[in-house]
Amino acid sequence: MALVFALMAVTGCKSTNLNGLGIGGGRDFLLPFESGKYWILSQGYGTDPNYSGTHKDYGFLYGNDTYALDFTRGGCGAYGQPVLPIMDGTVLQLGPVGTSGDQGYGNNILVAHDDGYVSRYGHLSEIYVSEGDHVSQTDAIGAVGDTGFCLGTACPDHPGTHLHLAVYQNEEATETLPLSGTYMSVGCWYNREGKEDCGSDPGTYASEEDYSGSSHNDNEDDYNNSDDNSDNGYDFNVSYAGVSPEHGTADQTEFIWLAAVEADSEPSATLYIYNEEDDQTYDFEMEMTKGDSPYVFTYQKSLRDPADYEYWITVDYKDTDTTVYGDVEVNHEEDDLPTLGSFSLSPRNGEANETEFEFRTTVYSDDEPDVTLKILNPNDGVLYDFEMDVDDHGDHFKAEYEKTLRDPDTYVYFMEAENNDTVNNGIILTVDVD
């Protein structure tokens, strides 16, 4: 539970340094928001003598908020934004449930992780997962909101909007920090890459996140390029850019690069791949798979040499551009690479939150593969993973998955099969949702 006050000029806030309060490294906790935006730490640990807040031990299981943190954005900017788990895990419990203390969290999610860790995400406006779901650090599990006990005046339509984050280990409260490798101070702004700004809101930027969770952009001007776009008066934002899978087999794996772009007119996108084996950079014009905002660009190809490739995607819009960086690992040839055959979707289109779509594919593989349905929702800029059910049919395997789709839009999807560390994709497909 927490009390969130109106965000006034951040430069006038007292910054309470929390360095030294978190445990040391060794954990891969990430800030629970998508790359591309900054979030202010509005409330810190209840143990901090320099800061008076509402976080305390409420006396029930996973109710000790001694080391909980609150995050928000200016005005109503936080409301409805995707919430991502701080590390991979399994959904343990959804709320509100149980005691009156639990009710204070409003819509909330408990996620169980390795090494006895459990994390709580409170005050959500929406929950996108079910108990027992496996979730990764790149999955949106819910949306920021103001359910439960929230007070504040910064957002009149949704007073007190913020995310309440708490972490436990072996059922005991534990220090949440570091997140994204960073210790944090109340009143400062942070992004998923661990950058800090203790002045005013730095604004949005082109997402740097790839599947390794690391940044490959050493150019600070490029990093802040989307701020320059807003200064020019352009409605232009790269909400997603990345590659799937993150590793593969030379000459065999069909890698897929994707970019989702919010713009008020048609942009273009170019994929650049640097091959260290021949010291050459190759460029490929990406295909526009979805032709309205948010625009989606894709490109599919194999890579020739076993090596670590660097890639970057440059989106051009009017007289400006934004570049997002990443890398991909290519291994030696393997004999048991899975191959995806026929694909089907039933029905071909439908209604948001109502139609139950059934996705199917055929996979040829020496051993039973793990098959994942990958769906890019251009509205929130997230590539979602869903583990498909696999059945053995003798000389091939069949995989299927049923689900509804949340937003009226055109979704881009594909299937990915993995067998003994060899990974391959099927073709890129779309589905329209009204």
Side-chain angles (χ1 to χ4, degrees):
M1 282 71 78
L3 184 67
V4 176
F5 297 97
L7 284 177
M8 296 176 285
V10 179
T11 52
C13 294
K14 177 181 178 181
S15 179
T16 303
N17 196 310
L18 299 180
N19 289 0
L21 295 182
I23 66 174
R27 304 180 310 182
D28 294 322
F29 290 176
L30 292 181
L31 193 74
F33 305 108
E34 63 181 356
S35 180
K37 296 180 177 68
Y38 280 83
W39 293 78
I40 189 172
L41 179 63
S42 58
Q43 185 172 176
Y45 292 166
T47 57
D48 185 354
N50 298 313
Y51 186 81
S52 177
T54 62
H55 292 165
K56 61 183 180 181
D57 185 355
Y58 294 97
F60 54 86
L61 182 62
Y62 303 126
N64 186 346
D65 284 349
T66 305
Y67 299 111
L69 303 174
D70 288 344
F71 293 92
T72 191
R73 291 173 52 79
C76 295
Y79 190 84
Q81 293 295 315
V83 174
L84 282 61
I86 59 174
M87 66 188 308
D88 295 358
T90 302
V91 177
L92 178 66
Q93 180 178 295
L94 306 178
V97 294
T99 69
S100 60
D102 272 318
Q103 302 289 347
Y105 294 116
N107 296 329
N108 70 98
I109 302 172
L110 284 173
V111 178
H113 313 283
D114 291 340
D115 299 323
Y117 285 110
V118 171
S119 56
R120 185 192 292 279
Y121 310 82
H123 309 301
L124 304 177
S125 60
E126 293 185 84
I127 291 176
Y128 302 148
V129 292
S130 302
E131 291 183 7
D133 284 356
H134 176 76
V135 293
S136 73
Q137 287 178 314
T138 56
D139 292 331
I141 59 175
V144 178
D146 63 335
T147 56
F149 179 61
C150 292
L151 297 173
T153 59
C155 179
D157 293 337
H158 306 286
T161 294
H162 71 286
L163 177 73
H164 177 97
L165 173 67
V167 178
Y168 312 89
Q169 188 177 33
N170 299 325
E171 301 185 355
E172 300 290 335
T174 190
E175 293 153 331
T176 308
L177 298 174
L179 293 172
S180 296
T182 303
Y183 295 92
M184 299 179 174
S185 299
V186 173
C188 291
W189 298 81
Y190 299 90
N191 68 17
R192 191 161 165 88
E193 285 78 31
K195 289 185 178 287
E196 176 188 76
D197 193 316
C198 292
S200 58
D201 182 359
T204 60
Y205 61 95
S207 170
E208 289 184 309
E209 187 175 27
D210 63 21
Y211 284 88
S212 68
S214 61
S215 168
H216 300 273
N217 191 347
D218 297 321
N219 188 326
E220 191 69 16
D221 291 333
D222 279 342
Y223 181 84
N224 292 311
N225 201 23
S226 63
D227 290 340
D228 296 336
N229 298 335
S230 61
D231 291 342
N232 289 334
Y234 298 151
D235 181 13
F236 170 41
N237 178 50
V238 180
S239 58
Y240 178 85
V243 64
S244 185
E246 63 182 9
H247 67 90
T249 305
D251 285 326
Q252 293 181 301
T253 299
E254 291 289 328
F255 297 95
I256 294 178
W257 286 263
L258 306 98
V261 184
E262 301 170 58
D264 57 11
S265 61
E266 186 174 308
S268 63
T270 305
L271 168 67
Y272 296 88
I273 301 177
Y274 172 70
N275 185 347
E276 64 179 14
E277 293 296 308
D278 60 11
D279 195 27
Q280 295 291 318
T281 298
Y282 300 87
D283 60 275
F284 307 91
E285 182 178 354
M286 298 184 72
E287 299 174 3
M288 185 181 294
T289 306
K290 177 178 180 290
D292 57 357
S293 188
Y295 298 87
V296 176
F297 296 88
T298 60
Y299 198 85
Q300 184 170 16
K301 76 181 309 295
S302 61
L303 295 171
R304 183 181 68 233
D305 301 313
D308 291 336
Y309 289 77
E310 295 180 12
Y311 74 86
W312 53 99
I313 296 172
T314 297
V315 177
D316 291 292
Y317 179 72
K318 297 184 178 178
D319 58 355
T320 189
D321 62 73
T322 290
T323 300
V324 182
Y325 294 76
D327 58 11
V328 61
E329 178 184 353
V330 179
N331 304 313
H332 292 281
E333 290 187 2
E334 301 286 348
D335 294 330
D336 56 352
L337 186 86
T339 302
L340 288 86
S342 60
F343 305 89
S344 65
L345 172 67
S346 180
R348 297 298 304 169
N349 51 57
E351 300 291 327
N353 291 309
E354 294 184 8
T355 303
E356 192 80 22
F357 293 95
E358 185 169 3
F359 301 84
R360 299 187 187 93
T361 187
T362 301
V363 183
Y364 299 91
S365 175
D366 292 344
D367 299 311
E368 181 171 323
D370 295 321
V371 187
T372 304
L373 170 64
K374 302 265 188 172
I375 302 179
L376 176 63
N377 183 346
N379 281 279
D380 56 18
V382 176
L383 182 65
Y384 293 91
D385 296 356
F386 303 95
E387 184 177 349
M388 302 182 73
D389 296 325
V390 178
D391 290 326
D392 190 346
H393 285 254
D395 61 344
H396 66 277
F397 297 88
K398 288 187 176 181
E400 63 179 34
Y401 193 86
E402 293 185 9
K403 77 176 313 298
T404 60
L405 296 173
R406 182 176 78 237
D407 301 314
D409 209 334
T410 299
Y411 291 74
V412 176
Y413 72 93
F414 56 95
M415 285 83 157
E416 194 168 272
E418 181 169 4
N419 175 17
N420 300 322
D421 290 330
T422 63
V423 191
N424 205 6
N425 283 319
I427 59 176
I428 301 165
L429 301 163
T430 63
V431 55
D432 293 323
V433 180
D434 299 323

